Amino acid sequence: NAYPEPVIERLLGKGKPTAIHDSSARAYPPLCHPDTRKTLRGRVVRWGMGDGDERILWILGPAAIGKSAVAQTVAEEFKEAGRLGASFFFSRPNQLDDPDWVIPTIVYQLAIQNGEYKRIITKCLVDNISILDKNRSTQFRVLITEPFRTLMTEYPHTVQELLVIILDGLDECKDKGAQCEFIRLINTHSRQVPLRWMICSRPDWHLMTVLSNADFTVTCRREELKICDDEAQWDVQRLLEVEFDKIRQKYRDRLPVDWPSEYQQRRIASIASGHLGFASFILRFIGDEQYHDPDGQLKVCMMFLKDGCTVGPISPLHALDDLYRQVLSDVPADILSTTMRILGLVIVDRHGLDSADDQARFLGLDQVTFCKALQNLHSVVYVPPIEESNTTPLHIYHASFSDFLDDIKRSGEFHLNREAAKYDFALQCLHWIEDNGKK
């Protein structure tokens, strides 16, 4: 109590409070409907309450499948139960992607919750005035690990229950090296402090590499969000039913009781194929209050889903399109043409080649080039691990990505010319036949 309150507020100056789960900047965060992801959320909450020995929980899943909705929902549940230590929600579109903001933001939240920890941190900030300008490894050790070790020794009653730290969208941190560094830091220090770490990300190659490294000594529980499992299919149907009912009630003066038709709802559910992100974007477009015309917006969607093209200046999938553009923008310029060739092959030859190795050989690509061209696409394309590459082919997770590539109005510079892809495929077929004939 000898130190002025502004000392602890130095953390806010170096951190980013708008990335915290209950920040006013996140006034309308994605949330799971009470009836969706119930099984997964139940497992996550039980883990956070002390189920199992794993100090790290990793939630993996393709782009826009609903990882942030799960993270936000369980963050609120942990908060209500007094188990949420801190949260940081990365977001490239909202410029919440600087790795240097993470540790100060986490430390500030922990200090607000634990008075003894706050006193230790405040003294540290006074005695070591430059600590917030040190590297992330030093900050993690000095501001998180060492204070908690002191708490466990001198004030054990204040840390009797494990707190959960949530890092959502780690793959959206702008520095891939920093993404891996956070994982290594958590791995190194997690057994020394009474914290559990929940990480949500896409299955990007560099993160998966860190997880599989022999130096990754801490047991990590993994939960994978899949598109085509039975629960995901049911979740989409339930989400559509509930949200359409809300829209119908809101506009009951202009919508009939049987809106939308059973066919329209089934059609959207069928195309969503268990992809909650796809269904959510469609619902958001239909219920957009800027237009106040849900039936008109639904007709635009149905035309879009029927013809696979945009109607007017705005696509009902513009949010998903932005995400797909972001994924492709991360592909290095010198390898992008090879990446597009591979995508063209996957789309044009859906049932021909039996493995990723065959696909690489068919295109005349060595393994290094093939893997490099795909290393940024793990969130939208299933790339089999090396031990399965001779038996399992590449495949695109969701048809909306193929549709995006096909439609130049949506994909722009990333448009995939299907005729050119077919020509390339035919040419490679001739080379393949010729080479095998010689053998």
Side-chain angles (χ1 to χ4, degrees), residues 245-282:
D245 184 62
K246 288 181 181 178
I247 295 172
R248 188 168 55 248
Q249 292 299 322
K250 184 176 181 178
Y251 295 96
R252 57 182 177 271
D253 60 326
R254 66 183 77 171
L255 295 176
V257 293
D258 59 349
W259 181 95
S261 70
E262 184 178 346
Y263 165 78
Q264 290 171 324
Q265 190 162 310
R266 282 204 319 268
R267 175 65 175 160
I268 294 172
S270 173
I271 293 177
S273 301
H275 198 301
L276 278 171
F278 181 96
S280 296
F281 290 137
I282 289 290

Side-chain angles (χ1 to χ4, degrees), residues 368-409:
V368 172
T369 303
F370 189 72
C371 292
K372 182 180 178 183
L374 294 167
Q375 66 184 21
N376 290 293
L377 298 186
H378 286 239
S379 61
V380 290
V381 176
Y382 176 73
V383 182
I386 190 69
E387 62 270 17
E388 297 177 15
S389 63
N390 63 339
T391 58
T392 308
L394 307 174
H395 69 261
I396 290 172
Y397 277 118
H398 195 263
S400 62
F401 183 56
S402 303
D403 296 340
F404 164 82
L405 293 171
D406 273 338
D407 190 343
I408 192 170
K409 293 180 181 178

Side-chain angles (χ1 to χ4, degrees), residues 126-141:
V126 171
D127 293 346
N128 190 350
I129 196 169
S130 65
I131 184 60
L132 294 179
D133 295 317
K134 301 293 185 182
N135 60 45
R136 287 183 289 272
S137 178
T138 300
Q139 287 187 34
F140 199 106
R141 174 177 55 81

Side-chain angles (χ1 to χ4, degrees), residues 98-115:
D98 192 326
D100 290 335
W101 293 335
V102 177
I103 294 175
T105 306
I106 289 175
V107 172
Y108 177 81
Q109 293 172 78
L110 290 170
I112 294 302
Q113 295 198 65
N114 188 309

Side-chain angles (χ1 to χ4, degrees), residues 204-224:
D204 288 349
W205 69 276
H206 56 289
L207 296 176
M208 301 305 291
T209 299
V210 174
L211 272 175
S212 60
N213 194 298
D215 294 332
F216 197 87
T217 56
V218 175
T219 303
C220 175
R221 181 181 296 192
R222 301 189 196 187
E223 292 282 358
E224 186 174 354

Side-chain angles (χ1 to χ4, degrees), residues 164-352:
V164 177
I165 311 294
I166 296 177
L167 295 180
D168 177 66
L170 180 60
D171 53 282
E172 295 195 41
C173 173
K174 67 181 179 182
D175 185 339
K176 290 182 178 178
Q179 295 174 25
C180 296
E181 181 186 21
F182 282 127
I183 301 306
R184 286 191 289 266
L185 287 172
I186 293 169
N187 173 51
T188 301
H189 296 276
S190 63
R191 285 295 178 189
Q192 303 176 51
V193 296
L195 299 172
R196 290 195 166 198
W197 299 81
M198 174 179 155
I199 301 165
C200 301
S201 78
R202 304 172 198 167
D204 288 349
W205 69 276
H206 56 289
L207 296 176
M208 301 305 291
T209 299
V210 174
L211 272 175
S212 60
N213 194 298
D215 294 332
F216 197 87
T217 56
V218 175
T219 303
C220 175
R221 181 181 296 192
R222 301 189 196 187
E223 292 282 358
E224 186 174 354
L225 289 177
K226 296 181 179 179
I227 292 174
C228 293
D229 60 25
D230 291 339
E231 185 177 17
Q233 300 277 11
W234 188 91
D235 283 349
V236 165
Q237 293 176 22
R238 182 59 179 153
L239 180 67
L240 291 172
E241 289 172 4
V242 171
E243 295 304 316
F244 274 133
D245 184 62
K246 288 181 181 178
I247 295 172
R248 188 168 55 248
Q249 292 299 322
K250 184 176 181 178
Y251 295 96
R252 57 182 177 271
D253 60 326
R254 66 183 77 171
L255 295 176
V257 293
D258 59 349
W259 181 95
S261 70
E262 184 178 346
Y263 165 78
Q264 290 171 324
Q265 190 162 310
R266 282 204 319 268
R267 175 65 175 160
I268 294 172
S270 173
I271 293 177
S273 301
H275 198 301
L276 278 171
F278 181 96
S280 296
F281 290 137
I282 289 290
L283 288 164
R284 191 177 306 139
F285 182 80
I286 293 171
D288 193 335
E289 294 184 358
Q290 179 180 347
Y291 294 93
H292 287 289
D293 183 18
D295 190 53
Q297 296 293 91
L298 175 62
K299 290 176 180 175
V300 169
C301 285
M302 297 310 296
M303 191 176 300
F304 176 89
L305 296 176
K306 176 183 178 182
D307 299 329
C309 61
T310 59
V311 179
I314 300 177
S315 162
L317 296 181
H318 63 89
L320 193 58
D321 291 351
D322 286 344
L323 195 147
Y324 287 150
R325 276 191 290 270
Q326 174 187 308
V327 169
L328 290 167
S329 295
D330 285 341
V331 178
D334 62 342
I335 201 73
L336 180 60
S337 60
T338 302
T339 301
M340 298 305 290
R341 279 191 72 209
I342 296 172
L343 291 174
L345 172 64
V346 174
I347 291 173
V348 170
D349 182 45
R350 295 184 179 180
H351 307 294

